[in-house]
Amino acid sequence: MATIKEVAKEAGVSIATTSRVINNAPHTSEAAIIAVKQAMKKLGYRPNANARALVSKSSNTIGILVHDVSAPFFGAMVKAIDSVACEQGKQILIGSGYHDPVKERNAINLLMSSRCESLVIHSKGLSDQELTELAQEIPGMMVINRSVPAIADRCIALDNFKGAYLATEFLIKNGHRKIGYIASNHDIDDAYDRKAGYLAALIDHDIEAHEELIESGEPDEIGGEQAMVNLLAKNLSLTAVATYNDDMAAGCLALIQENGIRIPEDMSVIGFDDGLIARFIYPRLTTIRYPIQVMAKQAVLEALDRAAGKEVVREQNLFAPILVKRSSVGRI
């Protein structure tokens, strides 16, 4: 592969001028720019990203931390951020933390060592204190799907409690009073807030809340299926089930239908997130919309502005969940 010295010789300019062209530095003549770019093309020269980062103090890359990059929810989040990155002429670098503090810390350290000045962090493993310290160290860092009081202006989150409350209340308004809940077994705020929203809706409508109506599992299709197996085994005469997310709802739906229970005639099911799966399972899933794409775009735009030293003013940190009515909830 050609070197910068060879490019400079081919272009007939100094190595310093060649370096300025490669790094888009100001005060470079148009003739030099044309000559260097032609030489780069002729010799097949590709700038070294690490070398450019050392010159510019930035890799021109946006760092993203997600729970699991293979999960559809986080795929939607990354895609939204990438669309903004493309518009801004930037690239993205992604790390997965799996809700584990060590893995999250390692991923963030990698993003920082890669000179990502703008970071969008989905962290559930790190403490509030550590995130606060990171925010002070990295001006362009934003936290998504979590509220940290000390850095509230750097956080964008959804009102998970309200979302689960809306879901449960919708079932109640359709006549259901024996309502089960399929919860996530992950030790994160989202899981606690959504379960609390379910319980609060029952209490506010004078319905007794019983722990036997609640089963938990991994927040995926298999976890939802197994949790529904456990609920059905208790023979509780349920007429409806609220779930932690759409993936668990999908597993729940499959298990119910395999047991000859009609949806929504015999059992109503409601999800949370409004991911693609909600629109393509049968019956189409009534759920709570989590506007992750909108939230992600706002988070990355703010991260870019903060990294550039711009002032950012936002009226609120919590996004509002919205009920999406489809076919999986019926009236009794």
Side-chain angles (χ1 to χ4, degrees), residues 171 239-243 249 252-253 256 263-264 267-271 285-286 328-329:
L171 294 173
T239 64
V241 178
T243 62
C252 169
L253 280 171
I256 290 171
I263 301 171
M267 179 86 72
S268 290
V269 178
I270 191 165
L285 186 65
T286 296
S328 63
V329 173

PDB file of all heavy atoms in Angstrom, residues 171 239-243 249 252-253 256 263-264 267-271 285-286 328-329:
ATOM      1  N   LEU A 171     -56.825  -2.774  29.331  1.00  0.00           N
ATOM      2  CA  LEU A 171     -57.445  -4.080  29.564  1.00  0.00           C
ATOM      3  C   LEU A 171     -58.624  -3.950  30.524  1.00  0.00           C
ATOM      4  O   LEU A 171     -59.689  -4.545  30.314  1.00  0.00           O
ATOM      5  CB  LEU A 171     -56.404  -5.052  30.129  1.00  0.00           C
ATOM      6  CG  LEU A 171     -55.253  -5.440  29.195  1.00  0.00           C
ATOM      7  CD1 LEU A 171     -54.220  -6.268  29.956  1.00  0.00           C
ATOM      8  CD2 LEU A 171     -55.765  -6.210  27.985  1.00  0.00           C
ATOM      9  N   THR A 239     -58.307 -13.696  32.037  1.00  0.00           N
ATOM     10  CA  THR A 239     -58.928 -13.287  30.773  1.00  0.00           C
ATOM     11  C   THR A 239     -58.002 -12.378  29.982  1.00  0.00           C
ATOM     12  O   THR A 239     -58.281 -12.077  28.821  1.00  0.00           O
ATOM     13  CB  THR A 239     -60.254 -12.537  31.027  1.00  0.00           C
ATOM     14  OG1 THR A 239     -59.990 -11.319  31.745  1.00  0.00           O
ATOM     15  CG2 THR A 239     -61.226 -13.401  31.816  1.00  0.00           C
ATOM     16  N   ALA A 240     -56.916 -11.931  30.592  1.00  0.00           N
ATOM     17  CA  ALA A 240     -55.997 -11.032  29.903  1.00  0.00           C
ATOM     18  C   ALA A 240     -54.606 -11.120  30.513  1.00  0.00           C
ATOM     19  O   ALA A 240     -54.450 -11.474  31.683  1.00  0.00           O
ATOM     20  CB  ALA A 240     -56.503  -9.596  29.959  1.00  0.00           C
ATOM     21  N   VAL A 241     -53.610 -10.771  29.696  1.00  0.00           N
ATOM     22  CA  VAL A 241     -52.221 -10.756  30.150  1.00  0.00           C
ATOM     23  C   VAL A 241     -51.532  -9.513  29.592  1.00  0.00           C
ATOM     24  O   VAL A 241     -51.610  -9.232  28.394  1.00  0.00           O
ATOM     25  CB  VAL A 241     -51.446 -12.008  29.679  1.00  0.00           C
ATOM     26  CG1 VAL A 241     -49.986 -11.928  30.123  1.00  0.00           C
ATOM     27  CG2 VAL A 241     -52.088 -13.275  30.221  1.00  0.00           C
ATOM     28  N   ALA A 242     -50.875  -8.771  30.479  1.00  0.00           N
ATOM     29  CA  ALA A 242     -50.015  -7.667  30.064  1.00  0.00           C
ATOM     30  C   ALA A 242     -48.581  -8.181  30.111  1.00  0.00           C
ATOM     31  O   ALA A 242     -48.235  -8.990  30.973  1.00  0.00           O
ATOM     32  CB  ALA A 242     -50.183  -6.467  30.995  1.00  0.00           C
ATOM     33  N   THR A 243     -47.740  -7.728  29.183  1.00  0.00           N
ATOM     34  CA  THR A 243     -46.387  -8.252  29.103  1.00  0.00           C
ATOM     35  C   THR A 243     -45.341  -7.143  29.144  1.00  0.00           C
ATOM     36  O   THR A 243     -45.617  -5.996  28.796  1.00  0.00           O
ATOM     37  CB  THR A 243     -46.185  -9.072  27.813  1.00  0.00           C
ATOM     38  OG1 THR A 243     -46.383  -8.212  26.682  1.00  0.00           O
ATOM     39  CG2 THR A 243     -47.168 -10.227  27.747  1.00  0.00           C
ATOM     40  N   ALA A 249     -44.580 -11.025  24.587  1.00  0.00           N
ATOM     41  CA  ALA A 249     -45.980 -11.166  24.164  1.00  0.00           C
ATOM     42  C   ALA A 249     -46.093 -12.160  23.017  1.00  0.00           C
ATOM     43  O   ALA A 249     -47.038 -12.952  22.961  1.00  0.00           O
ATOM     44  CB  ALA A 249     -46.536  -9.808  23.749  1.00  0.00           C
ATOM     45  N   CYS A 252     -45.847 -15.589  24.373  1.00  0.00           N
ATOM     46  CA  CYS A 252     -47.096 -15.817  25.093  1.00  0.00           C
ATOM     47  C   CYS A 252     -48.224 -16.175  24.125  1.00  0.00           C
ATOM     48  O   CYS A 252     -48.964 -17.134  24.334  1.00  0.00           O
ATOM     49  CB  CYS A 252     -47.431 -14.559  25.889  1.00  0.00           C
ATOM     50  SG  CYS A 252     -49.077 -14.513  26.601  1.00  0.00           S
ATOM     51  N   LEU A 253     -48.355 -15.399  23.035  1.00  0.00           N
ATOM     52  CA  LEU A 253     -49.396 -15.644  22.034  1.00  0.00           C
ATOM     53  C   LEU A 253     -49.275 -17.040  21.427  1.00  0.00           C
ATOM     54  O   LEU A 253     -50.272 -17.760  21.285  1.00  0.00           O
ATOM     55  CB  LEU A 253     -49.302 -14.598  20.923  1.00  0.00           C
ATOM     56  CG  LEU A 253     -49.906 -13.218  21.173  1.00  0.00           C
ATOM     57  CD1 LEU A 253     -49.515 -12.257  20.061  1.00  0.00           C
ATOM     58  CD2 LEU A 253     -51.418 -13.309  21.276  1.00  0.00           C
ATOM     59  N   ILE A 256     -50.368 -19.718  23.935  1.00  0.00           N
ATOM     60  CA  ILE A 256     -51.824 -19.682  24.147  1.00  0.00           C
ATOM     61  C   ILE A 256     -52.555 -20.351  22.991  1.00  0.00           C
ATOM     62  O   ILE A 256     -53.444 -21.189  23.183  1.00  0.00           O
ATOM     63  CB  ILE A 256     -52.302 -18.222  24.318  1.00  0.00           C
ATOM     64  CG1 ILE A 256     -51.816 -17.659  25.655  1.00  0.00           C
ATOM     65  CG2 ILE A 256     -53.825 -18.133  24.235  1.00  0.00           C
ATOM     66  CD1 ILE A 256     -52.063 -16.176  25.809  1.00  0.00           C
ATOM     67  N   ILE A 263     -57.533 -15.886  20.714  1.00  0.00           N
ATOM     68  CA  ILE A 263     -57.172 -14.502  21.011  1.00  0.00           C
ATOM     69  C   ILE A 263     -57.857 -13.605  19.992  1.00  0.00           C
ATOM     70  O   ILE A 263     -57.705 -13.814  18.796  1.00  0.00           O
ATOM     71  CB  ILE A 263     -55.636 -14.300  20.917  1.00  0.00           C
ATOM     72  CG1 ILE A 263     -54.922 -15.245  21.906  1.00  0.00           C
ATOM     73  CG2 ILE A 263     -55.256 -12.867  21.199  1.00  0.00           C
ATOM     74  CD1 ILE A 263     -53.420 -15.274  21.731  1.00  0.00           C
ATOM     75  N   PRO A 264     -58.643 -12.635  20.411  1.00  0.00           N
ATOM     76  CA  PRO A 264     -58.847 -12.188  21.798  1.00  0.00           C
ATOM     77  C   PRO A 264     -60.119 -12.724  22.445  1.00  0.00           C
ATOM     78  O   PRO A 264     -60.486 -12.283  23.530  1.00  0.00           O
ATOM     79  CB  PRO A 264     -58.950 -10.673  21.609  1.00  0.00           C
ATOM     80  CG  PRO A 264     -59.710 -10.535  20.323  1.00  0.00           C
ATOM     81  CD  PRO A 264     -59.211 -11.658  19.454  1.00  0.00           C
ATOM     82  N   MET A 267     -58.794 -14.909  25.486  1.00  0.00           N
ATOM     83  CA  MET A 267     -57.698 -14.286  26.223  1.00  0.00           C
ATOM     84  C   MET A 267     -57.189 -13.070  25.446  1.00  0.00           C
ATOM     85  O   MET A 267     -56.968 -13.152  24.246  1.00  0.00           O
ATOM     86  CB  MET A 267     -56.550 -15.281  26.421  1.00  0.00           C
ATOM     87  CG  MET A 267     -55.353 -14.715  27.161  1.00  0.00           C
ATOM     88  SD  MET A 267     -55.517 -14.819  28.960  1.00  0.00           S
ATOM     89  CE  MET A 267     -55.316 -16.599  29.217  1.00  0.00           C
ATOM     90  N   SER A 268     -57.024 -11.967  26.151  1.00  0.00           N
ATOM     91  CA  SER A 268     -56.442 -10.770  25.540  1.00  0.00           C
ATOM     92  C   SER A 268     -54.986 -10.639  25.963  1.00  0.00           C
ATOM     93  O   SER A 268     -54.624 -10.983  27.090  1.00  0.00           O
ATOM     94  CB  SER A 268     -57.225  -9.523  25.967  1.00  0.00           C
ATOM     95  OG  SER A 268     -58.508  -9.504  25.383  1.00  0.00           O
ATOM     96  N   VAL A 269     -54.176 -10.128  25.045  1.00  0.00           N
ATOM     97  CA  VAL A 269     -52.747  -9.955  25.318  1.00  0.00           C
ATOM     98  C   VAL A 269     -52.322  -8.568  24.836  1.00  0.00           C
ATOM     99  O   VAL A 269     -52.705  -8.146  23.739  1.00  0.00           O
ATOM    100  CB  VAL A 269     -51.897 -11.027  24.603  1.00  0.00           C
ATOM    101  CG1 VAL A 269     -50.405 -10.780  24.860  1.00  0.00           C
ATOM    102  CG2 VAL A 269     -52.296 -12.423  25.062  1.00  0.00           C
ATOM    103  N   ILE A 270     -51.533  -7.890  25.652  1.00  0.00           N
ATOM    104  CA  ILE A 270     -51.012  -6.585  25.261  1.00  0.00           C
ATOM    105  C   ILE A 270     -49.507  -6.545  25.480  1.00  0.00           C
ATOM    106  O   ILE A 270     -48.996  -7.101  26.457  1.00  0.00           O
ATOM    107  CB  ILE A 270     -51.725  -5.445  26.038  1.00  0.00           C
ATOM    108  CG1 ILE A 270     -51.385  -4.086  25.429  1.00  0.00           C
ATOM    109  CG2 ILE A 270     -51.391  -5.473  27.524  1.00  0.00           C
ATOM    110  CD1 ILE A 270     -52.320  -2.970  25.902  1.00  0.00           C
ATOM    111  N   GLY A 271     -48.791  -5.929  24.541  1.00  0.00           N
ATOM    112  CA  GLY A 271     -47.339  -5.879  24.608  1.00  0.00           C
ATOM    113  C   GLY A 271     -46.812  -4.519  25.027  1.00  0.00           C
ATOM    114  O   GLY A 271     -47.530  -3.689  25.585  1.00  0.00           O
ATOM    115  N   LEU A 285     -50.602  -7.322  17.297  1.00  0.00           N
ATOM    116  CA  LEU A 285     -50.518  -7.074  18.735  1.00  0.00           C
ATOM    117  C   LEU A 285     -50.870  -5.648  19.137  1.00  0.00           C
ATOM    118  O   LEU A 285     -50.280  -4.681  18.646  1.00  0.00           O
ATOM    119  CB  LEU A 285     -49.093  -7.392  19.205  1.00  0.00           C
ATOM    120  CG  LEU A 285     -48.821  -7.329  20.702  1.00  0.00           C
ATOM    121  CD1 LEU A 285     -49.610  -8.409  21.445  1.00  0.00           C
ATOM    122  CD2 LEU A 285     -47.323  -7.484  20.964  1.00  0.00           C
ATOM    123  N   THR A 286     -51.809  -5.520  20.052  1.00  0.00           N
ATOM    124  CA  THR A 286     -52.049  -4.247  20.725  1.00  0.00           C
ATOM    125  C   THR A 286     -50.885  -4.021  21.683  1.00  0.00           C
ATOM    126  O   THR A 286     -50.468  -4.939  22.394  1.00  0.00           O
ATOM    127  CB  THR A 286     -53.380  -4.285  21.505  1.00  0.00           C
ATOM    128  OG1 THR A 286     -54.454  -4.441  20.567  1.00  0.00           O
ATOM    129  CG2 THR A 286     -53.585  -3.005  22.300  1.00  0.00           C
ATOM    130  N   SER A 328     -55.327  -7.814  19.382  1.00  0.00           N
ATOM    131  CA  SER A 328     -55.108  -8.861  20.385  1.00  0.00           C
ATOM    132  C   SER A 328     -55.844  -8.612  21.709  1.00  0.00           C
ATOM    133  O   SER A 328     -55.695  -9.389  22.640  1.00  0.00           O
ATOM    134  CB  SER A 328     -53.602  -9.004  20.675  1.00  0.00           C
ATOM    135  OG  SER A 328     -53.088  -7.805  21.243  1.00  0.00           O
ATOM    136  N   VAL A 329     -56.596  -7.527  21.786  1.00  0.00           N
ATOM    137  CA  VAL A 329     -57.378  -7.233  22.986  1.00  0.00           C
ATOM    138  C   VAL A 329     -58.850  -7.165  22.624  1.00  0.00           C
ATOM    139  O   VAL A 329     -59.246  -6.452  21.697  1.00  0.00           O
ATOM    140  CB  VAL A 329     -56.942  -5.896  23.639  1.00  0.00           C
ATOM    141  CG1 VAL A 329     -57.874  -5.519  24.789  1.00  0.00           C
ATOM    142  CG2 VAL A 329     -55.510  -6.002  24.149  1.00  0.00           C
TER     143      VAL A 329
END
